[in-house]
Amino acid sequence: MSTEPKISGNQVGAESAGGFSAEERAAMKARAAELKADARRGRAEDKAAADEATMMAKIAEMKEPDRQMAVRLHGIVTEAAPELLPKLYYGQPGWAKAGKVVVFFRSGQDDKERYSTLGFSAQANLDDDGGMWPTSYALRELNDHSAATIAKLVATAAA
């Protein structure tokens, strides 16, 4: 014969049903959410690292001077807007925010053009009050002056 007190069905509370109090269940749910977030963050970091490696491999395949421009541009973009993550965009280097490319580089040599292109997508925050603004720039060389201009544009675009 059992020595535990008998509890009728309508007396069974949340504590006795699962053995945990409401506070304990809430703490377990919070911890489970933290673990899920950590797992997602780990996957996101792995994906970001893989995307960057893929983009750098693409840059390494470029002919000079586009390769050197793309490497320097990657440094400018990541310094001006660290929240933008590397990502291939139509097979060319791009930098994305929340998965959407904001700025990209097109190799002129890959496109058989006389210049490369630095472009900004519709996600870029470059809107001008006059209702008209450039979305791409011809890039034949990347000097200190053009690097400073690009850094300002990228910071504005990513804001």
Side-chain angles (χ1 to χ4, degrees):
M1 181 168 222
S2 174
T3 58
E4 292 184 35
K6 299 218 179 216
I7 300 174
S8 68
N10 57 355
Q11 290 177 324
V12 175
E15 289 182 31
S16 61
F20 297 105
S21 70
E23 293 81 12
E24 289 169 326
R25 282 194 310 281
M28 287 186 284
K29 283 183 181 179
R31 180 63 180 143
E34 290 169 5
L35 292 172
K36 276 181 154 178
D38 285 346
R40 279 193 304 271
R41 186 171 28 259
R43 287 192 301 267
E45 288 170 0
D46 290 346
K47 182 177 180 338
D51 285 346
E52 182 169 18
T54 301
M55 189 183 84
M56 296 310 288
K58 173 62 180 174
I59 290 172
E61 294 173 2
M62 291 179 181
K63 296 176 185 159
E64 291 296 347
D66 287 353
R67 181 183 323 132
Q68 186 178 9
M69 277 196 297
V71 168
R72 186 166 182 203
L73 187 59
H74 177 59
I76 293 166
V77 171
T78 55
E79 186 175 319
E83 67 274 20
L84 297 182
L85 299 175
K87 180 178 183 171
L88 283 183
Y89 183 64
Y90 294 101
Q92 297 287 318
W95 295 266
K97 183 176 185 178
K100 300 197 181 215
V101 170
V102 174
V103 61
F104 58 90
F105 174 78
R106 295 222 31 103
S107 166
Q109 293 194 12
D110 285 358
D111 291 342
K112 296 179 177 59
E113 295 290 340
R114 67 183 184 92
Y115 57 83
S116 294
T117 304
L118 173 70
F120 295 90
S121 73
Q123 305 303 315
N125 187 26
L126 294 175
D127 299 26
D128 186 287
D129 290 339
M132 184 174 92
W133 58 90
T135 59
S136 64
Y137 296 83
L139 193 57
R140 284 191 324 171
E141 66 177 87
L142 193 48
N143 57 36
D144 291 343
H145 177 68
S146 58
T149 301
I150 290 168
K152 287 178 189 172
L153 285 167
V154 167
T156 302

